[in-house]
Amino acid sequence: MMLGISLILFISTLASVSGFKTGLEEGLICNVCVGTHPGCGLYDFDQRWYWGQMCPRYNDKCVKLIERKGSEVMVTRDCLSNLENFRVDIPADKYEGCRPASSDVKIGQYVFNSIKELDIRRNYYDNTTYCFCDFDHWCNSSSRLGISLLSLISLVAINLVY
């Protein structure tokens, strides 16, 4: 019985931390990270590092942006409203699923810059794919199956109570 009370106190303390999200909040919660951060790869996403962030706009979508050049893969996870501010290659079809990036023929047309690292014309990556989702919290994580920490704690608490 004492273990059950301490578990409930632990969960309430964890919920009081500002970054912890339960999934009961109003709005959509998306994973926000860049592939250069540890635990934010295409197949090795670690949800212990990234708890999620509330999307600022009503009816927003979670986005997983996958950019490939050879064997190099850069993954960016964020809300669509945050990416729309600086990305011009977002596809017009933003329904659930993955789509290739749109091409803008006028991007960098009147820019004569010889520094190739600036990537003014956004042609460094060979393949750019946008994956959209909006029907579930944290839906832009990796595709591997696993038990979340919250569901594990919930199962232990239910077993202790009964």
Side-chain angles (χ1 to χ4, degrees):
M1 185 67 184
M2 192 65 172
L3 183 63
I5 294 172
S6 62
L7 186 62
I8 291 171
L9 288 174
F10 173 72
I11 291 173
S12 64
T13 304
L14 193 60
S16 67
V17 176
S18 64
F20 183 74
K21 304 285 188 249
T22 61
L24 301 175
E25 292 84 12
E26 188 125 351
L28 185 65
I29 303 171
C30 294
N31 295 309
V32 177
C33 66
V34 181
T36 56
H37 298 163
C40 189
L42 184 58
Y43 300 112
D44 62 345
F45 181 76
D46 192 0
Q47 62 188 8
R48 294 174 295 179
W49 288 86
Y50 309 102
W51 287 352
Q53 180 180 352
M54 296 287 295
C55 290
R57 190 172 65 189
Y58 172 75
N59 203 11
D60 214 343
K61 296 180 184 311
C62 295
V63 178
K64 178 167 53 173
L65 172 61
I66 305 166
E67 297 172 308
R68 299 177 191 263
K69 181 170 183 78
S71 64
E72 177 188 348
V73 178
M74 175 63 70
V75 179
T76 304
R77 292 176 171 91
D78 208 344
C79 299
L80 178 63
S81 58
N82 294 338
L83 289 176
E84 283 178 336
N85 295 329
F86 60 90
R87 296 295 297 223
V88 294
D89 57 348
I90 299 174
D93 184 10
K94 297 178 182 83
Y95 292 109
E96 192 91 11
C98 296
R99 283 160 199 80
S102 62
S103 60
D104 187 4
V105 294
K106 293 185 177 184
I107 188 167
Q109 190 174 11
Y110 297 110
V111 178
F112 305 104
N113 196 338
S114 62
I115 304 172
K116 66 178 184 174
E117 287 81 13
L118 290 178
D119 195 26
I120 295 168
R121 292 176 182 80
R122 291 222 181 251
N123 57 1
Y124 175 75
Y125 292 105
D126 299 330
N127 183 7
T128 303
T129 305
Y130 283 87
C131 295
F132 301 99
C133 60
D134 62 347
F135 293 122
D136 198 12
H137 295 300
W138 303 288
C139 59
N140 60 345
S141 65
S142 67
S143 61
R144 72 175 184 183
L145 296 175
I147 297 176
S148 68
L149 178 66
L150 186 62
S151 64
L152 184 65
I153 291 173
S154 301
L155 286 174
V156 169
I158 289 171
N159 286 335
L160 289 175
V161 171
Y162 296 109

